[in-house]
Amino acid sequence: MDNYWNYRVVKKDWKNGLVSYDVCEVYYENDKPTSWIWGKNVLSGESKVGLELTLNSVQKAFTKPVLEIIGDDEELVEIEE
C-alpha cells in the first residue's frame, strides 16, 4: 500500500446548484484518494521538461473514473460518467 499524489478529474456539486469539474492534484493514503488541492494551477513546472511531465500526468487523469466529493466530510468516491 502506497501514499502518493496524482492528477484526477474531480466533480463538485456546489450549494448554489452549480456543478464543476476540475483537474486536481489528489493525495492517496494506502492507495485510497483522501484529499485534493482545489484551484491550484496544475500546469506549472520548473522547466520545459518539467512542464511536459506535468502535462502527461494531467492527461492520465482522463483515463480514470471521475472522483466526486460526497457529504459534509467531503469524501472522494469514484463514479462512472
Side-chain angles (χ1 to χ4, degrees):
M1 293 200 232
D2 292 322
N3 298 335
Y4 54 92
W5 289 91
N6 71 9
Y7 294 96
R8 298 289 296 271
V9 176
V10 176
K11 177 184 176 186
K12 172 75 173 173
D13 289 314
W14 298 92
K15 292 182 180 182
N16 62 4
L18 296 176
V19 175
S20 65
Y21 291 79
D22 290 87
V23 176
C24 297
E25 287 185 75
V26 174
Y27 184 70
Y28 292 74
E29 293 179 19
N30 299 320
D31 294 320
K32 181 181 187 284
T34 59
S35 59
W36 67 98
I37 298 174
W38 199 262
K40 181 182 177 202
N41 180 358
V42 298
L43 292 178
S44 61
E46 296 179 5
S47 67
K48 184 177 177 182
V49 171
L51 186 60
E52 184 176 9
L53 291 172
T54 299
L55 177 59
N56 290 337
S57 293
V58 169
Q59 288 174 322
K60 289 178 184 176
F62 294 95
T63 67
K64 299 176 183 177
V66 170
L67 293 173
E68 184 170 4
I69 302 164
I70 303 293
D72 291 335
D73 60 347
E74 297 191 331
E75 178 183 0
L76 294 173
V77 178
E78 286 188 351
I79 62 171
E80 293 296 325
E81 293 251 323

